[in-house]
Amino acid sequence: MSKPGAGIVAILPGGGGVEPSSPVQKVWKPELYKIQLDAPAPHPVRCQRTLDTTLEEQQQAIRLYGSEYHGIMGHLEAEQLLSQANDGSYLVRRSPKTDGCYHTLSVRFNKRTKHYKVFYKPGHGHYLREQDKHYETVHEMVADGLINFHMQLHASPIIQQINQQTKNCYQQSPYMTLNRRKLRALSNELGGKATAVGDDCDGSVTLKVSQQQEAPPQQKEVPQQQHQQQQLPAQATDPMPLVYEKPHNFKVHTFKGLNWCEFCANFLWGFTAQGVKCEACGFMAHNKCSELVPPKCVPDLKYIRGVFGTDLATMVQLHQCHIPFVVRRCVEEVEARGMLQEGIYRVSGFADEIDALKLALDRDGDKTDMSEATYGNVNVIAGTLKLYLRLLPVPLITFQAYPSFMAAGRNAKQTEQLQLMAEAALRLPPAHYSCLQYMLEHLKRVASHYAVNKMNEHNLATVFAPTLIATPQHMTNLTEEIFMLSSLITHCETIFASSSSSMNSNSSS
């Protein structure tokens, strides 16, 4: 039986070898994200009756709460109105006994109706208590509340594990996994500074005795040197000198898009104020996790944090593109000089060179030099592309779409199978849809050179299944996933032509 956390080793028929364990396994934990997906959405119950309040009060209340304001309504009447409503349904009312200094929010969750006093202060928004979160709209308040209710009900064991972590988790955190090489480069600069004991002007930095000398340019980031460091215990490979101290400046933050805690690797759940973010270096964490982060803030890191490990939808929105530049540049380079390379995508490039290219892409973006003169081994380019896809917090074939793709793959009738796969593709977010289509068409072109590169659709699917598909953690038998992905590669033109046609017909109607 395979041990938990072991890399997937897949024998490639006709490929002449194996796909070795990846140098970097998936670093993000998807459980909290998947639980939040099932949280009920807020659904306002519109008022259908004539309000029995003054016109001025009606106008003010409707301006604040919208058509879900029901005027004067007692507790029992609200209970009765919401008794048959779905979870997430809510209304705002004024209790008959109140003097109008607050209103009451009634919301349905877990087949029960909850009632809360809700206040509003101009310039501060809606809130339940002064010290609690403030919201621009009651809809946002309900959305955030429903997620928290849902997480408390279904995710308490995971949240309990997060609260029981220790500082020892830091060395294995996503922050260190993704940024170790960058931190090493930055620490060389810090270590080369003159020996000093003192503070910055704000009293936040202590740089005590440091014997570390900056390596000559030709010795920086030498693959052999890094290979030796990887054999040392985790404590010895801390890229930051132990003498360096600078507290993080964590502030409560409302994250846009999907984000994960860089300390515990779990999803930052919620609708607003999901966690904290260091204003100096950008470290993102749950509030509880931030208490365990050591005082080693490196402000310069925020300039080279880059794109690896960033949610795909966030990435394309930030860069205003359909295909992330990492995917596009790597695909272009492989198609220019790797299509006839035997075992392309199966044979791994050197981990040190892949890590160096990752750092370059994070630092220089689309301007990164990926020419043959700089990276002569095209397997390094291919390996970097696989690494980027592997580090996506939400895989290319998402958790929501995965069951539909698998059900389609099990259909023995090819015509029905392809139609079901086209329908499954429509369940993907636009960023994932475009990138999956781009990757499948690329792999189809790679497979067309099978006579030389020995990589047909099945072999490519074997390599990419653990990377592209939202497979359950520690799952090692990917026979069905490989078959499904092989079919996607083989028939990608037909599948996406059909799904595009469906999208066009839906938009026109």
Side-chain angles (χ1 to χ4, degrees), residues 257-278:
L258 305 176
N259 291 273
W260 270 252
C261 176
E262 294 181 302
F263 185 85
C264 73
N266 284 292
F267 182 59
L268 292 168
W269 74 89
F271 192 78
T272 64
Q274 303 95 329
V276 296
K277 183 176 182 179
C278 176

Side-chain angles (χ1 to χ4, degrees), residues 36-56:
Q36 178 170 309
L37 288 175
D38 294 328
H43 177 70
V45 177
R46 309 298 182 188
C47 181
Q48 305 290 332
R49 65 178 189 171
T50 302
L51 299 180
D52 50 359
T53 56
T54 65
L55 180 61
E56 181 180 356

Side-chain angles (χ1 to χ4, degrees), residues 181 188 214-226:
R181 192 183 188 96
N188 283 341
E214 185 173 7
Q218 67 270 21
Q219 293 180 1
K220 287 184 179 180
E221 299 178 2
V222 177
Q224 290 181 345
Q225 181 184 26
Q226 181 170 343

Side-chain angles (χ1 to χ4, degrees), residues 17 42 178 239 275 379 456 476:
L178 296 174
N379 292 316
N456 59 17
T476 56

Side-chain angles (χ1 to χ4, degrees), residues 306-325:
V307 298
F308 284 78
T310 301
D311 173 60
L312 184 65
T314 302
M315 175 70 178
V316 299
Q317 184 176 9
L318 181 65
H319 291 264
Q320 293 295 297
C321 61
H322 293 291
I323 307 299
F325 71 84

Side-chain angles (χ1 to χ4, degrees), residues 95-268:
S95 174
K97 298 180 181 180
T98 183
D99 57 2
C101 62
Y102 67 87
H103 288 84
T104 301
L105 170 66
S106 299
V107 59
R108 192 76 174 172
F109 178 77
N110 199 26
K111 299 182 179 180
R112 293 184 178 181
T113 302
K114 300 172 178 283
H115 307 275
Y116 301 92
K117 292 180 180 179
V118 60
F119 301 86
Y120 175 79
K121 182 183 292 186
H124 295 269
H126 303 270
Y127 58 93
L128 301 183
R129 294 183 301 174
E130 186 70 41
Q131 67 269 31
D132 290 341
K133 293 181 184 179
H134 289 56
Y135 304 85
E136 290 187 9
T137 67
V138 170
H139 191 87
E140 290 183 0
M141 175 187 287
V142 175
D144 195 48
L146 289 170
I147 290 173
N148 281 288
F149 293 156
H150 188 78
M151 300 304 280
Q152 290 169 15
L153 184 63
H154 298 285
S156 56
I158 301 175
I159 296 173
Q160 186 176 2
Q161 289 176 1
I162 293 174
N163 293 334
Q164 292 175 346
Q165 293 177 111
T166 67
K167 293 182 178 180
N168 295 332
C169 300
Y170 178 70
Q171 286 296 332
Q172 287 74 44
S173 68
Y175 176 81
M176 295 298 290
T177 300
L178 296 174
N179 298 312
R180 194 176 299 275
R181 192 183 188 96
K182 302 171 192 175
L183 290 169
R184 185 178 297 116
L186 292 171
S187 70
N188 283 341
E189 300 175 10
L190 290 169
K193 292 181 179 180
T195 301
V197 179
D199 299 333
D200 276 355
C201 57
D202 62 354
S204 61
V205 178
T206 301
L207 185 59
K208 299 179 182 177
V209 179
S210 175
Q211 303 297 329
Q212 185 176 354
Q213 298 294 322
E214 185 173 7
Q218 67 270 21
Q219 293 180 1
K220 287 184 179 180
E221 299 178 2
V222 177
Q224 290 181 345
Q225 181 184 26
Q226 181 170 343
H227 178 72
Q228 293 170 354
Q229 290 174 337
Q230 289 177 340
Q231 309 308 314
L232 298 174
Q235 290 80 358
T237 61
D238 186 349
M240 295 302 299
L242 296 176
V243 294
Y244 177 82
E245 288 186 7
K246 177 177 172 61
H248 289 275
N249 185 19
F250 285 116
K251 300 289 184 183
V252 175
H253 191 80
T254 294
F255 295 94
K256 303 299 181 184
L258 305 176
N259 291 273
W260 270 252
C261 176
E262 294 181 302
F263 185 85
C264 73
N266 284 292
F267 182 59
L268 292 168

Side-chain angles (χ1 to χ4, degrees), residues 35-97:
I35 292 173
Q36 178 170 309
L37 288 175
D38 294 328
H43 177 70
V45 177
R46 309 298 182 188
C47 181
Q48 305 290 332
R49 65 178 189 171
T50 302
L51 299 180
D52 50 359
T53 56
T54 65
L55 180 61
E56 181 180 356
E57 183 181 343
Q58 287 181 31
Q59 291 175 340
Q60 183 179 4
I62 291 174
R63 178 175 56 84
L64 290 177
Y65 305 115
S67 59
E68 58 266 35
Y69 179 66
H70 286 245
I72 298 176
M73 177 180 286
H75 177 93
L76 293 178
E77 187 178 356
E79 289 270 359
Q80 184 177 4
L81 184 60
L82 292 172
S83 62
Q84 301 302 317
N86 295 327
D87 277 3
S89 299
Y90 72 94
L91 59 85
V92 180
R93 58 189 176 87
R94 191 185 124 187
S95 174
K97 298 180 181 180

